[in-house]
Amino acid sequence: MSERPKDSGEAFQNPVAGFGVTFKAMFKKRLTEQYPEQQKTTAPRFHGRHQLNRHPDGLEKCVGCELCAWACPADAIYVEGADNTEEERYSPGERYGRVYQINYARCILCGLCIEACPTRALTMTNEFELADSSRENLIYTKEQLLAGLEPGMVDTPHAIHPGTDEQDYYRGLVTEAAPGTERQVAVSKGEKPQDAASSFGPAEPAANKEVDA
Ligand code: SF4
Ligand code: SF4
């Protein structure tokens, strides 16, 4: 069966119709984002990188209970808890998170871990630039996840606010470090007294704002 010959009108209209699409697109709003030159603003409750939060005096909120690790469907969290002592205290209560790791090669940023956390120690920030070419670098340690120091905080380990107990911290009665609060020596981390003295320093701003899940 022979093909129907194109008439001259159809042969002219097809290319013009194609240019019509191009011409219309020229006047539409541009959707291309100039990332990474222009950073994208995320939604306020965006699920980004995690953060381990501190109490207002600098003590850590994590009590090393491992509930976040148990809640994680991707098995991305590893926690080892340990006991606080009066000489080396990291959190107001009995236990603290000695080792804390999140593997971002596994994490799907679902937020179930922060829902499981009983102390609001773990929250998520808006930071989304987590890509890396090394698997090792994708395992974030406690030191990387712990919030920075805000004014009025002293880095851990240090003593509990005098005259208070763990409950007072959760009732919001401790608002900053007591005058004279000094950082203790982190003996469990192999620190010597002079190391502790040299680790004092100006308070650094918190790395990321805490965001509700
Ligand atoms: S956000 Fe989800 S996948 Fe990631 S560590 Fe938390 S529970 Fe696991
Ligand atoms: S982050 Fe929260 S749930 Fe996870 S170990 Fe610490 S206190 Fe427990």
Side-chain angles (χ1 to χ4, degrees):
M1 198 166 72
S2 63
E3 253 184 56
R4 186 171 67 89
K6 288 182 184 172
D7 61 41
S8 59
E10 194 178 345
F12 175 73
Q13 276 173 6
N14 283 347
V16 170
F19 278 121
V21 173
T22 307
F23 194 67
K24 270 195 274 177
M26 286 168 67
F27 296 100
K28 282 188 180 161
K29 190 182 163 205
R30 289 188 187 183
L31 299 174
T32 309
E33 289 174 3
Q34 301 302 322
Y35 177 85
E37 287 78 18
Q38 290 170 13
Q39 289 287 318
K40 186 173 168 57
T41 306
T42 59
R45 294 165 77 94
F46 178 84
H47 283 192
R49 184 180 70 81
H50 298 75
Q51 176 170 284
L52 285 170
N53 298 304
R54 296 176 185 263
H55 289 287
D57 67 347
L59 285 180
E60 296 160 18
K61 289 189 175 180
C62 178
V63 294
C65 66
E66 299 182 30
L67 285 177
C68 51
W70 283 98
C72 178
D75 199 15
I77 302 183
Y78 177 73
V79 185
E80 269 181 29
D83 289 338
N84 285 306
T85 62
E86 289 314 315
E87 296 73 39
E88 189 178 346
R89 174 172 291 284
Y90 293 87
S91 68
E94 194 180 326
R95 305 265 292 166
Y96 73 100
R98 190 178 70 83
V99 177
Y100 197 97
Q101 295 174 351
I102 296 183
N103 184 344
Y104 285 102
R106 303 188 70 119
C107 175
I108 54 173
L109 300 165
C110 65
L112 289 178
C113 50
I114 61 173
E115 302 223 1
C117 180
T119 62
R120 296 285 292 155
L122 190 64
T123 51
M124 294 173 108
T125 67
N126 289 350
E127 190 184 328
F128 59 86
E129 293 180 314
L130 298 168
D132 203 289
S133 55
S134 148
R135 290 186 189 191
E136 191 182 345
N137 289 347
L138 286 170
I139 300 174
Y140 278 47
T141 62
K142 176 180 169 181
E143 288 67 33
Q144 290 170 289
L145 296 167
L146 195 58
L149 295 171
E150 289 182 1
M153 292 181 173
V154 173
D155 199 5
T156 49
H158 71 74
I160 196 168
H161 201 285
T164 65
D165 60 18
E166 186 183 1
Q167 307 276 330
D168 293 329
Y169 276 79
Y170 292 109
R171 289 193 194 104
L173 300 179
V174 176
T175 54
E176 61 181 354
T181 301
E182 289 197 350
R183 189 171 175 277
Q184 298 168 328
V185 180
V187 179
S188 65
K189 296 180 181 170
E191 205 173 85
K192 297 184 185 117
Q194 61 269 30
D195 297 336
S198 64
S199 62
F200 288 115
E204 296 165 14
N208 282 292
K209 200 170 156 237
E210 184 178 330
V211 175
D212 286 342

